[in-house]
Amino acid sequence: MSHKALRLVSFQEPLRVESVPTPNATVPGSVVVRVLVTSVLTFAHKVFDRTLAYALPSLPVTPGPIALGIVEEVADDVLDLPKGQTVLIDGVIRSTALYSKDDRILLGWTAIGPNGGRTQSKYREGTLAEKVLVPAQNLIPVPDDLLKLYS
C-alpha cells in the first residue's frame, strides 16, 4: 500500500508530492498515525536550502516534526493505545536505551547529538504525509471533550 507525502528530494528543488510506501507498526513500541493536520516550521526554507545546516536524514525524506492525527495501527507490544484514538505527536524522539541522551531526533527534521542517526534510522519520515510511524511514547491522547470544543 502507498500514501501521499511531501518529499524533499534535492536541496536544489522545491518539495514535491510523491506516493510512498505506507508504514507498518513493525518496530517494537511503534504506532502508525493518520495525519489530520500538521505544520511547517517558519524557518523550514532555510533548512531546505541549507542556510541552516540541520542533520537531516538522507534524501529523499518527508520532513515535519509535529502533527495531530488518529491512531491506525499499533505494534503488538503497545497495549493501552486504541485504534481510532486522536493523538498529538511530540516530534522529539529518544531511544529507550538506558542512559542514552545523545541519540535524540526531531522527527523528519534533524538528529540531535552524535548518536541521533541510530534513532533516525527507525523513525526517519516526518509528518508532512498522510501517515507516519512514531513511537507510542511520543503520542499524547487528545480527550474527546477537547475535540468537540474545537470542532
Side-chain angles (χ1 to χ4, degrees), residues 10-148:
S10 163
F11 295 116
Q12 290 75 38
E13 300 175 33
L15 278 71
R16 61 182 180 215
V17 175
E18 292 187 344
S19 185
V20 297
T22 298
N24 296 311
T26 54
V27 175
S30 68
V31 176
V32 175
V33 176
R34 179 170 44 90
V35 175
L36 297 175
V37 64
T38 189
S39 65
V40 176
L41 300 175
T42 58
F43 55 89
H45 65 287
K46 291 182 178 183
V47 175
F48 301 153
D49 73 8
R50 305 306 287 157
T51 303
L52 294 175
Y54 277 58
L56 287 166
S58 59
L59 301 184
V61 67
T62 303
I66 57 173
L68 182 73
I70 297 176
V71 172
E72 283 206 341
E73 181 187 351
V74 298
D76 291 341
D77 62 341
V78 177
L79 305 175
D80 294 325
L81 191 60
K83 292 178 186 175
Q85 172 71 53
T86 302
V87 292
L88 177 66
I89 298 171
D90 172 6
V92 178
I93 298 175
R94 298 160 187 81
S95 79
T96 55
L98 199 55
Y99 307 117
S100 185
K101 301 212 183 331
D102 62 354
D103 63 354
R104 294 170 296 140
I105 65 168
L106 186 56
L107 181 65
W109 205 252
T110 191
I112 306 168
N115 294 322
R118 64 187 190 178
T119 304
Q120 209 171 43
S121 70
K122 297 195 183 313
Y123 300 103
R124 66 180 314 274
E125 304 296 344
T127 60
L128 294 178
E130 293 176 316
K131 299 185 185 203
V132 63
L133 180 73
V134 293
Q137 68 190 23
N138 282 69
L139 300 177
I140 303 161
V142 178
D144 289 339
D145 56 343
L146 185 62
L147 289 173
K148 290 177 187 171

